[in-house]
Amino acid sequence: MDSSSNSNSNSNKSNSQIMKAVGVSSVERRVAGVPSVIVIGGGFAGIAAARALHDASIKVVLLESRDRLGGRVHTNYSFGFPVDLGASWLHGVCNENPLAPLIGKLGLPLYRTSGDNSVLYDHDLESYALFDMEGKQVPQELVTEVGEVFESILKECDKIRDEYMDDISIQQAFEIAFERNPKLRLEGLSYKVLQWYLCRMEGWFAADADTISLKYWDQAKLLPGGHGLMVRGYLPVINTLAKGLDIRLNHRVKNVVRQYNGVTVTVEDGRTFKADAAVIAVPLGVLKSKRIKFEPKLPEWKESAIDDLGVGVENKIILHFEKVFWPNVEFLGVVADTSYSCSYFLNLHKATSHPVLVYMPAGRLARDIEKMSDEAAANFAFTQLQKILPDASIPIQYLVSRWGSDENSLGSYSYDIVGKPHDLYERLRVPVDNLFFAGEATSVLYPGSVHGAYSTGVMAAEECRMRVLERHGELDLFQRVLGEDNPVLVPLLISRL
Ligand SMILES: Cc1cc2nc3c(=O)[nH]c(=O)nc-3n(C[C@H](O)[C@H](O)[C@H](O)COP(=O)(O)OP(=O)(O)OC[C@H]3O[C@@H](n4cnc5c(N)ncnc54)[C@H](O)[C@@H]3O)c2cc1C
């Protein structure tokens, strides 16, 4: 123990002696002090990174542009109870989920909307009601039958993927599947139900079928255990992770300058922050907009990953009613001629006992609705509801999200667009000198999810910690390995066999 601390201080001394010899400025002298990191972005990824670095005794400051933490997790309490305007499901209700220990420890209840292997991504067809535009309920058997056809189409798409060298869109693949197997091309009400399934698929990617890559649409990993709604909202998890951290709200980062010995970050009002390294945990949409200037510029391979990965839009229009007047099912749907015109309402009353319906448009429809005022958007959602329930009473309150145009997100979550490589997530993750990247779009396994974002934050923090401590000559891997409660067999990292 003693000898290791001696050797650390010796290495620091020699560092500062070298620095004095070359006449360096105060910025460089900071290297001899406490290891420090700036985390940019206070969503799940950024908070997870800041937490891990703080717990490893690194000095961390987290800069967040909004006046709140959480980013695309936003629990709102204006109805007098929690509702989530961003993420609300835990995808993968199982112990392998990296968030499971925390959610479990906090005693937060989950309402499971699907088990494994459901036709829909986040729901089983156990508790639902679909209607046509005239308000007539679609028979359950028909919905199940069309669900089976939908699965057959996806299997056909798999074959098409194997045959085609070049990538095509999901929509093109569907058309080829219909040409090859006309029985799959449904008609009348069945066709409309098929459009509704497509609408739900588009919701999962927050994008339209003509932009989603056939090659990579199903490459993200789904954890087992189905999907569970966070009944009390996600905010308690954010608050727990953020406890005791140095967080600066209303700090919009404009400039990130990296030097060989540290980073300088400038926020909108001109204030600067300096540290040994930075974790960039802002959304892909923000990186795409180039509103944060990097000096020197990010390398070409990083820039092209930012440009080429898709970011879709999904929104929530949350309607609060005086009392429940709709059927006691988990979700209500409206089937139509095109997936654009179909609708989906999540019935929060099932999970939370509050009289709330959540209308969830995605892709072009979501972008179009964002052009409306909040009031017009809420009216639009209500009009869709009136199509199926003409006697619907008017909502007493509503909330409207705008993830696509909000300058702090500029999109809802990432997805693979047609014709681009799948290694973009990894390229987005790979550090550039002393800049480390985190966020859902850097998750190779679980993009577009809360647990994916969380894992990337933890991973970026670990890489960053190693880098920063190495710089300070203080790297003590021994302590971490010994400190683990449940030692597991970790494969050796062998770079040359
Ligand atoms: C409508 C919707 C529904 C969703 N549903 C689910 C779901 O049910 N389950 C699920 O797992 N996932 C869901 N997701 C996805 C999930 O919310 C995201 O994958 C995850 O929250 C992303 O976390 P993040 O930390 O990567 O990014 P963010 O949460 O976006 O955090 C980035 C932070 O950076 C800040 N920032 C931006 N610009 C700057 C700047 N210049 N300077 C400083 N700070 C800046 C932002 O304000 C933000 O706080 C949903 C997303 C949306 C939009």
PDB file of all heavy atoms in Angstrom, residues 71-97:
ATOM      1  N   GLY A  71     -33.569  14.175 -19.320  1.00  0.00           N
ATOM      2  CA  GLY A  71     -33.574  14.156 -20.784  1.00  0.00           C
ATOM      3  C   GLY A  71     -34.841  13.529 -21.338  1.00  0.00           C
ATOM      4  O   GLY A  71     -35.950  13.990 -21.025  1.00  0.00           O
ATOM      5  N   ARG A  72     -34.674  12.466 -22.124  1.00  0.00           N
ATOM      6  CA  ARG A  72     -35.830  11.834 -22.755  1.00  0.00           C
ATOM      7  C   ARG A  72     -36.614  10.956 -21.774  1.00  0.00           C
ATOM      8  O   ARG A  72     -37.533  10.239 -22.158  1.00  0.00           O
ATOM      9  CB  ARG A  72     -35.377  11.054 -23.990  1.00  0.00           C
ATOM     10  CG  ARG A  72     -35.134  11.964 -25.176  1.00  0.00           C
ATOM     11  CD  ARG A  72     -34.408  11.257 -26.286  1.00  0.00           C
ATOM     12  NE  ARG A  72     -32.973  11.202 -26.051  1.00  0.00           N
ATOM     13  CZ  ARG A  72     -32.119  10.545 -26.822  1.00  0.00           C
ATOM     14  NH1 ARG A  72     -32.561   9.876 -27.855  1.00  0.00           N
ATOM     15  NH2 ARG A  72     -30.824  10.565 -26.549  1.00  0.00           N
ATOM     16  N   VAL A  73     -36.231  11.021 -20.514  1.00  0.00           N
ATOM     17  CA  VAL A  73     -37.065  10.494 -19.436  1.00  0.00           C
ATOM     18  C   VAL A  73     -37.617  11.727 -18.736  1.00  0.00           C
ATOM     19  O   VAL A  73     -36.847  12.558 -18.245  1.00  0.00           O
ATOM     20  CB  VAL A  73     -36.212   9.639 -18.475  1.00  0.00           C
ATOM     21  CG1 VAL A  73     -36.880   9.506 -17.137  1.00  0.00           C
ATOM     22  CG2 VAL A  73     -35.951   8.273 -19.098  1.00  0.00           C
ATOM     23  N   HIS A  74     -38.933  11.903 -18.774  1.00  0.00           N
ATOM     24  CA  HIS A  74     -39.506  13.130 -18.208  1.00  0.00           C
ATOM     25  C   HIS A  74     -40.835  12.809 -17.521  1.00  0.00           C
ATOM     26  O   HIS A  74     -41.881  12.726 -18.166  1.00  0.00           O
ATOM     27  CB  HIS A  74     -39.727  14.163 -19.332  1.00  0.00           C
ATOM     28  CG  HIS A  74     -40.244  15.471 -18.807  1.00  0.00           C
ATOM     29  ND1 HIS A  74     -40.820  16.416 -19.612  1.00  0.00           N
ATOM     30  CD2 HIS A  74     -40.258  15.985 -17.552  1.00  0.00           C
ATOM     31  CE1 HIS A  74     -41.176  17.456 -18.876  1.00  0.00           C
ATOM     32  NE2 HIS A  74     -40.850  17.211 -17.621  1.00  0.00           N
ATOM     33  N   THR A  75     -40.739  12.621 -16.222  1.00  0.00           N
ATOM     34  CA  THR A  75     -41.953  12.347 -15.465  1.00  0.00           C
ATOM     35  C   THR A  75     -42.574  13.681 -15.057  1.00  0.00           C
ATOM     36  O   THR A  75     -41.901  14.521 -14.453  1.00  0.00           O
ATOM     37  CB  THR A  75     -41.640  11.495 -14.218  1.00  0.00           C
ATOM     38  OG1 THR A  75     -40.816  10.390 -14.623  1.00  0.00           O
ATOM     39  CG2 THR A  75     -42.903  10.967 -13.571  1.00  0.00           C
ATOM     40  N   ASN A  76     -43.839  13.844 -15.428  1.00  0.00           N
ATOM     41  CA  ASN A  76     -44.529  15.106 -15.156  1.00  0.00           C
ATOM     42  C   ASN A  76     -45.588  14.853 -14.070  1.00  0.00           C
ATOM     43  O   ASN A  76     -46.271  13.835 -14.090  1.00  0.00           O
ATOM     44  CB  ASN A  76     -45.180  15.584 -16.464  1.00  0.00           C
ATOM     45  CG  ASN A  76     -45.870  16.911 -16.318  1.00  0.00           C
ATOM     46  OD1 ASN A  76     -46.868  17.020 -15.615  1.00  0.00           O
ATOM     47  ND2 ASN A  76     -45.353  17.926 -16.982  1.00  0.00           N
ATOM     48  N   TYR A  77     -45.719  15.835 -13.144  1.00  0.00           N
ATOM     49  CA  TYR A  77     -46.649  15.649 -12.009  1.00  0.00           C
ATOM     50  C   TYR A  77     -47.814  16.642 -12.040  1.00  0.00           C
ATOM     51  O   TYR A  77     -48.540  16.766 -11.057  1.00  0.00           O
ATOM     52  CB  TYR A  77     -45.879  15.792 -10.683  1.00  0.00           C
ATOM     53  CG  TYR A  77     -44.887  14.674 -10.463  1.00  0.00           C
ATOM     54  CD1 TYR A  77     -43.608  14.729 -11.013  1.00  0.00           C
ATOM     55  CD2 TYR A  77     -45.229  13.542  -9.726  1.00  0.00           C
ATOM     56  CE1 TYR A  77     -42.696  13.701 -10.838  1.00  0.00           C
ATOM     57  CE2 TYR A  77     -44.317  12.504  -9.543  1.00  0.00           C
ATOM     58  CZ  TYR A  77     -43.060  12.592 -10.100  1.00  0.00           C
ATOM     59  OH  TYR A  77     -42.164  11.575  -9.938  1.00  0.00           O
ATOM     60  N   SER A  78     -48.000  17.347 -13.178  1.00  0.00           N
ATOM     61  CA  SER A  78     -49.008  18.415 -13.178  1.00  0.00           C
ATOM     62  C   SER A  78     -50.445  17.894 -13.076  1.00  0.00           C
ATOM     63  O   SER A  78     -51.352  18.649 -12.760  1.00  0.00           O
ATOM     64  CB  SER A  78     -48.849  19.308 -14.406  1.00  0.00           C
ATOM     65  OG  SER A  78     -49.007  18.541 -15.571  1.00  0.00           O
ATOM     66  N   PHE A  79     -50.680  16.612 -13.317  1.00  0.00           N
ATOM     67  CA  PHE A  79     -52.027  16.046 -13.143  1.00  0.00           C
ATOM     68  C   PHE A  79     -52.292  15.674 -11.675  1.00  0.00           C
ATOM     69  O   PHE A  79     -53.370  15.215 -11.322  1.00  0.00           O
ATOM     70  CB  PHE A  79     -52.192  14.756 -13.962  1.00  0.00           C
ATOM     71  CG  PHE A  79     -52.182  14.924 -15.473  1.00  0.00           C
ATOM     72  CD1 PHE A  79     -52.180  13.801 -16.291  1.00  0.00           C
ATOM     73  CD2 PHE A  79     -52.212  16.174 -16.072  1.00  0.00           C
ATOM     74  CE1 PHE A  79     -52.188  13.925 -17.675  1.00  0.00           C
ATOM     75  CE2 PHE A  79     -52.211  16.304 -17.459  1.00  0.00           C
ATOM     76  CZ  PHE A  79     -52.194  15.182 -18.262  1.00  0.00           C
ATOM     77  N   GLY A  80     -51.242  15.799 -10.858  1.00  0.00           N
ATOM     78  CA  GLY A  80     -51.389  15.383  -9.461  1.00  0.00           C
ATOM     79  C   GLY A  80     -50.920  13.948  -9.234  1.00  0.00           C
ATOM     80  O   GLY A  80     -51.051  13.403  -8.130  1.00  0.00           O
ATOM     81  N   PHE A  81     -50.385  13.354 -10.254  1.00  0.00           N
ATOM     82  CA  PHE A  81     -49.783  12.004 -10.157  1.00  0.00           C
ATOM     83  C   PHE A  81     -48.774  11.895 -11.302  1.00  0.00           C
ATOM     84  O   PHE A  81     -48.823  12.699 -12.255  1.00  0.00           O
ATOM     85  CB  PHE A  81     -50.865  10.913 -10.249  1.00  0.00           C
ATOM     86  CG  PHE A  81     -51.820  11.071 -11.410  1.00  0.00           C
ATOM     87  CD1 PHE A  81     -51.495  10.613 -12.677  1.00  0.00           C
ATOM     88  CD2 PHE A  81     -53.045  11.729 -11.242  1.00  0.00           C
ATOM     89  CE1 PHE A  81     -52.362  10.777 -13.747  1.00  0.00           C
ATOM     90  CE2 PHE A  81     -53.921  11.899 -12.319  1.00  0.00           C
ATOM     91  CZ  PHE A  81     -53.572  11.423 -13.575  1.00  0.00           C
ATOM     92  N   PRO A  82     -47.856  10.924 -11.225  1.00  0.00           N
ATOM     93  CA  PRO A  82     -46.807  10.885 -12.249  1.00  0.00           C
ATOM     94  C   PRO A  82     -47.260  10.322 -13.596  1.00  0.00           C
ATOM     95  O   PRO A  82     -47.965   9.316 -13.633  1.00  0.00           O
ATOM     96  CB  PRO A  82     -45.743   9.958 -11.631  1.00  0.00           C
ATOM     97  CG  PRO A  82     -46.456   9.170 -10.588  1.00  0.00           C
ATOM     98  CD  PRO A  82     -47.650   9.944 -10.146  1.00  0.00           C
ATOM     99  N   VAL A  83     -46.876  11.010 -14.675  1.00  0.00           N
ATOM    100  CA  VAL A  83     -47.028  10.444 -16.033  1.00  0.00           C
ATOM    101  C   VAL A  83     -45.729  10.731 -16.793  1.00  0.00           C
ATOM    102  O   VAL A  83     -45.122  11.786 -16.617  1.00  0.00           O
ATOM    103  CB  VAL A  83     -48.217  11.044 -16.834  1.00  0.00           C
ATOM    104  CG1 VAL A  83     -49.538  10.478 -16.397  1.00  0.00           C
ATOM    105  CG2 VAL A  83     -48.244  12.560 -16.781  1.00  0.00           C
ATOM    106  N   ASP A  84     -45.321   9.784 -17.613  1.00  0.00           N
ATOM    107  CA  ASP A  84     -44.064   9.923 -18.350  1.00  0.00           C
ATOM    108  C   ASP A  84     -44.312  10.431 -19.766  1.00  0.00           C
ATOM    109  O   ASP A  84     -45.015   9.788 -20.542  1.00  0.00           O
ATOM    110  CB  ASP A  84     -43.323   8.574 -18.394  1.00  0.00           C
ATOM    111  CG  ASP A  84     -42.460   8.367 -17.176  1.00  0.00           C
ATOM    112  OD1 ASP A  84     -41.736   9.312 -16.801  1.00  0.00           O
ATOM    113  OD2 ASP A  84     -42.498   7.270 -16.587  1.00  0.00           O
ATOM    114  N   LEU A  85     -43.681  11.557 -20.082  1.00  0.00           N
ATOM    115  CA  LEU A  85     -43.791  12.119 -21.437  1.00  0.00           C
ATOM    116  C   LEU A  85     -42.764  11.510 -22.388  1.00  0.00           C
ATOM    117  O   LEU A  85     -42.855  11.638 -23.591  1.00  0.00           O
ATOM    118  CB  LEU A  85     -43.573  13.631 -21.385  1.00  0.00           C
ATOM    119  CG  LEU A  85     -44.819  14.438 -21.065  1.00  0.00           C
ATOM    120  CD1 LEU A  85     -44.459  15.795 -20.490  1.00  0.00           C
ATOM    121  CD2 LEU A  85     -45.667  14.627 -22.315  1.00  0.00           C
ATOM    122  N   GLY A  86     -41.737  10.912 -21.811  1.00  0.00           N
ATOM    123  CA  GLY A  86     -40.737  10.193 -22.619  1.00  0.00           C
ATOM    124  C   GLY A  86     -40.881   8.710 -22.325  1.00  0.00           C
ATOM    125  O   GLY A  86     -41.984   8.167 -22.353  1.00  0.00           O
ATOM    126  N   ALA A  87     -39.743   8.074 -22.023  1.00  0.00           N
ATOM    127  CA  ALA A  87     -39.771   6.625 -21.770  1.00  0.00           C
ATOM    128  C   ALA A  87     -40.694   6.285 -20.607  1.00  0.00           C
ATOM    129  O   ALA A  87     -40.762   7.027 -19.625  1.00  0.00           O
ATOM    130  CB  ALA A  87     -38.364   6.139 -21.458  1.00  0.00           C
ATOM    131  N   SER A  88     -41.401   5.154 -20.745  1.00  0.00           N
ATOM    132  CA  SER A  88     -42.235   4.716 -19.629  1.00  0.00           C
ATOM    133  C   SER A  88     -42.142   3.210 -19.402  1.00  0.00           C
ATOM    134  O   SER A  88     -42.531   2.725 -18.347  1.00  0.00           O
ATOM    135  CB  SER A  88     -43.693   5.110 -19.856  1.00  0.00           C
ATOM    136  OG  SER A  88     -44.112   4.712 -21.134  1.00  0.00           O
ATOM    137  N   TRP A  89     -41.604   2.461 -20.396  1.00  0.00           N
ATOM    138  CA  TRP A  89     -41.471   1.019 -20.216  1.00  0.00           C
ATOM    139  C   TRP A  89     -40.044   0.655 -19.811  1.00  0.00           C
ATOM    140  O   TRP A  89     -39.078   1.296 -20.267  1.00  0.00           O
ATOM    141  CB  TRP A  89     -41.739   0.280 -21.527  1.00  0.00           C
ATOM    142  CG  TRP A  89     -43.169  -0.058 -21.803  1.00  0.00           C
ATOM    143  CD1 TRP A  89     -43.862  -1.138 -21.339  1.00  0.00           C
ATOM    144  CD2 TRP A  89     -44.089   0.662 -22.638  1.00  0.00           C
ATOM    145  NE1 TRP A  89     -45.157  -1.125 -21.833  1.00  0.00           N
ATOM    146  CE2 TRP A  89     -45.321  -0.032 -22.632  1.00  0.00           C
ATOM    147  CE3 TRP A  89     -43.989   1.842 -23.389  1.00  0.00           C
ATOM    148  CZ2 TRP A  89     -46.438   0.389 -23.348  1.00  0.00           C
ATOM    149  CZ3 TRP A  89     -45.100   2.266 -24.094  1.00  0.00           C
ATOM    150  CH2 TRP A  89     -46.307   1.551 -24.064  1.00  0.00           C
ATOM    151  N   LEU A  90     -39.914  -0.357 -19.013  1.00  0.00           N
ATOM    152  CA  LEU A  90     -38.624  -1.018 -18.830  1.00  0.00           C
ATOM    153  C   LEU A  90     -38.662  -2.186 -19.808  1.00  0.00           C
ATOM    154  O   LEU A  90     -39.484  -3.099 -19.665  1.00  0.00           O
ATOM    155  CB  LEU A  90     -38.473  -1.532 -17.391  1.00  0.00           C
ATOM    156  CG  LEU A  90     -37.151  -2.261 -17.125  1.00  0.00           C
ATOM    157  CD1 LEU A  90     -35.981  -1.274 -17.102  1.00  0.00           C
ATOM    158  CD2 LEU A  90     -37.194  -3.024 -15.797  1.00  0.00           C
ATOM    159  N   HIS A  91     -37.816  -2.125 -20.837  1.00  0.00           N
ATOM    160  CA  HIS A  91     -37.809  -3.184 -21.847  1.00  0.00           C
ATOM    161  C   HIS A  91     -36.912  -4.315 -21.351  1.00  0.00           C
ATOM    162  O   HIS A  91     -35.700  -4.180 -21.315  1.00  0.00           O
ATOM    163  CB  HIS A  91     -37.317  -2.639 -23.192  1.00  0.00           C
ATOM    164  CG  HIS A  91     -38.229  -1.620 -23.791  1.00  0.00           C
ATOM    165  ND1 HIS A  91     -39.587  -1.837 -23.949  1.00  0.00           N
ATOM    166  CD2 HIS A  91     -38.009  -0.364 -24.260  1.00  0.00           C
ATOM    167  CE1 HIS A  91     -40.142  -0.767 -24.507  1.00  0.00           C
ATOM    168  NE2 HIS A  91     -39.217   0.144 -24.691  1.00  0.00           N
ATOM    169  N   GLY A  92     -37.556  -5.422 -20.949  1.00  0.00           N
ATOM    170  CA  GLY A  92     -36.792  -6.539 -20.397  1.00  0.00           C
ATOM    171  C   GLY A  92     -36.934  -6.550 -18.886  1.00  0.00           C
ATOM    172  O   GLY A  92     -36.087  -6.021 -18.167  1.00  0.00           O
ATOM    173  N   VAL A  93     -38.059  -7.128 -18.419  1.00  0.00           N
ATOM    174  CA  VAL A  93     -38.300  -7.191 -16.973  1.00  0.00           C
ATOM    175  C   VAL A  93     -37.615  -8.463 -16.465  1.00  0.00           C
ATOM    176  O   VAL A  93     -38.225  -9.531 -16.361  1.00  0.00           O
ATOM    177  CB  VAL A  93     -39.812  -7.210 -16.672  1.00  0.00           C
ATOM    178  CG1 VAL A  93     -40.067  -7.197 -15.167  1.00  0.00           C
ATOM    179  CG2 VAL A  93     -40.495  -6.006 -17.317  1.00  0.00           C
ATOM    180  N   CYS A  94     -36.326  -8.351 -16.194  1.00  0.00           N
ATOM    181  CA  CYS A  94     -35.541  -9.540 -15.810  1.00  0.00           C
ATOM    182  C   CYS A  94     -34.294  -9.082 -15.061  1.00  0.00           C
ATOM    183  O   CYS A  94     -33.934  -7.904 -15.103  1.00  0.00           O
ATOM    184  CB  CYS A  94     -35.131 -10.298 -17.068  1.00  0.00           C
ATOM    185  SG  CYS A  94     -34.114  -9.293 -18.178  1.00  0.00           S
ATOM    186  N   ASN A  95     -33.663 -10.033 -14.404  1.00  0.00           N
ATOM    187  CA  ASN A  95     -32.493  -9.661 -13.607  1.00  0.00           C
ATOM    188  C   ASN A  95     -31.303  -9.233 -14.460  1.00  0.00           C
ATOM    189  O   ASN A  95     -30.422  -8.529 -13.980  1.00  0.00           O
ATOM    190  CB  ASN A  95     -32.087 -10.833 -12.705  1.00  0.00           C
ATOM    191  CG  ASN A  95     -33.108 -11.020 -11.605  1.00  0.00           C
ATOM    192  OD1 ASN A  95     -33.821 -10.077 -11.246  1.00  0.00           O
ATOM    193  ND2 ASN A  95     -33.220 -12.240 -11.092  1.00  0.00           N
ATOM    194  N   GLU A  96     -31.267  -9.680 -15.722  1.00  0.00           N
ATOM    195  CA  GLU A  96     -30.147  -9.266 -16.598  1.00  0.00           C
ATOM    196  C   GLU A  96     -30.234  -7.782 -16.941  1.00  0.00           C
ATOM    197  O   GLU A  96     -29.270  -7.201 -17.416  1.00  0.00           O
ATOM    198  CB  GLU A  96     -30.152 -10.035 -17.925  1.00  0.00           C
ATOM    199  CG  GLU A  96     -29.869 -11.505 -17.822  1.00  0.00           C
ATOM    200  CD  GLU A  96     -31.173 -12.308 -17.847  1.00  0.00           C
ATOM    201  OE1 GLU A  96     -32.012 -12.109 -16.939  1.00  0.00           O
ATOM    202  OE2 GLU A  96     -31.335 -13.129 -18.758  1.00  0.00           O
ATOM    203  N   ASN A  97     -31.406  -7.195 -16.776  1.00  0.00           N
ATOM    204  CA  ASN A  97     -31.537  -5.771 -17.106  1.00  0.00           C
ATOM    205  C   ASN A  97     -30.660  -4.968 -16.138  1.00  0.00           C
ATOM    206  O   ASN A  97     -30.819  -5.082 -14.917  1.00  0.00           O
ATOM    207  CB  ASN A  97     -33.001  -5.325 -16.993  1.00  0.00           C
ATOM    208  CG  ASN A  97     -33.217  -3.957 -17.599  1.00  0.00           C
ATOM    209  OD1 ASN A  97     -32.477  -3.012 -17.336  1.00  0.00           O
ATOM    210  ND2 ASN A  97     -34.221  -3.855 -18.446  1.00  0.00           N
TER     211      ASN A  97
END
